[in-house]
Amino acid sequence: MTLPAGVRLAWRRIPEGVERRTVARALLAELLPGATFVSRCPSCGGDHSRVRVLGTDSAVSVSYADGWAFVVAAPGWGRVGLDAVPASASGLDRILPGGDARSWARVEAVLKADGRGLAVDPLRVRFADSAAPGEEWTASIDDGAAVSGWDADGPSGVVLAVAADLGVAHPQ
C-alpha cells in the first residue's frame, strides 16, 4: 500500500557485529538530514525508548525484525508508529486472541503512534473495520482518538504496519 504523501519508510539489513540502533539512526539521518535523534527510557534512563527528533518538525518510529532495521519518518505529523513482524511469527494468539503477524503489526503500530507502546494492553486496541491487506484502516485505544493505518511493503518475509495520529494536522 502507498503511504500518505511525505511519509517515508526505509529499511536495511543489520550487518553482523553492528548495533541495530546504529543502523536505524543512519537510516533516519538519510531520511531527515540535519536532524538529531535521541531516546531516553523513562524507567532506566537507557538509550532504548521512543526516538524523538530535534531540529525538524517530524515524527519517527523504529522497528526491528529478522535482522532488519526499519524506520519511518513523517514530516509535519504529530505521532507515527511503525511495527515489523516476521511473517512466520507464531504464538501471537497467546497475546492477541486470533492474532496473526498482520494484526499484531497493526496493533503495535497503533500503540507506538499513541506514544505508550506496550505499556498499554494490546487488547485495548479497537479497529473501526476489518480492512484487508493493502487497504487503509482506522483504529483507536478504547474510545480514544482515532489513528489511520497502512500496511506497508517491505522485504520478503516481514509484515509492516504504519499508524499515524489523525488528530494532528499533516501535509496533504
Side-chain angles (χ1 to χ4, degrees):
M1 162 155 235
T2 302
L3 295 173
V7 176
R8 297 176 45 204
L9 173 67
W11 61 87
R12 184 170 293 148
R13 271 267 181 222
I14 302 169
E16 188 173 329
V18 176
E19 164 95 21
R20 68 186 193 166
R21 281 187 196 90
T22 300
V23 175
R25 296 286 171 91
L27 285 167
L28 287 171
E30 290 172 17
L31 295 180
L32 298 170
T36 302
F37 308 97
V38 296
S39 57
R40 189 70 49 214
C41 175
S43 298
C44 74
D47 182 26
H48 61 90
S49 187
R50 181 178 191 82
V51 178
R52 292 182 317 130
V53 182
L54 305 174
T56 185
D57 178 24
S58 187
V60 299
S61 187
V62 175
S63 192
Y64 306 97
D66 276 356
W68 293 91
F70 300 88
V71 301
V72 66
W77 291 74
R79 294 201 175 178
V80 66
L82 164 68
D83 195 45
V85 180
S88 62
S90 62
L92 296 173
D93 57 339
R94 289 189 303 251
I95 303 166
L96 192 67
D100 58 8
R102 178 151 324 280
S103 57
W104 178 255
R106 288 177 175 181
V107 164
E108 195 159 355
V110 170
L111 295 174
K112 286 180 172 185
D114 172 72
R116 295 177 286 173
L118 291 172
V120 174
D121 183 347
L123 295 175
R124 292 176 55 197
V125 176
R126 305 280 184 254
F127 290 88
D129 52 34
S130 57
E135 295 178 2
E136 183 174 341
W137 42 269
T138 304
S140 62
I141 297 174
D142 298 325
D143 59 353
V147 295
S148 286
W150 305 268
D151 300 325
D153 295 328
S156 179
V158 179
V159 175
L160 299 172
V162 175
D165 188 347
L166 278 176
V168 176
H170 56 275
Q172 293 298 325

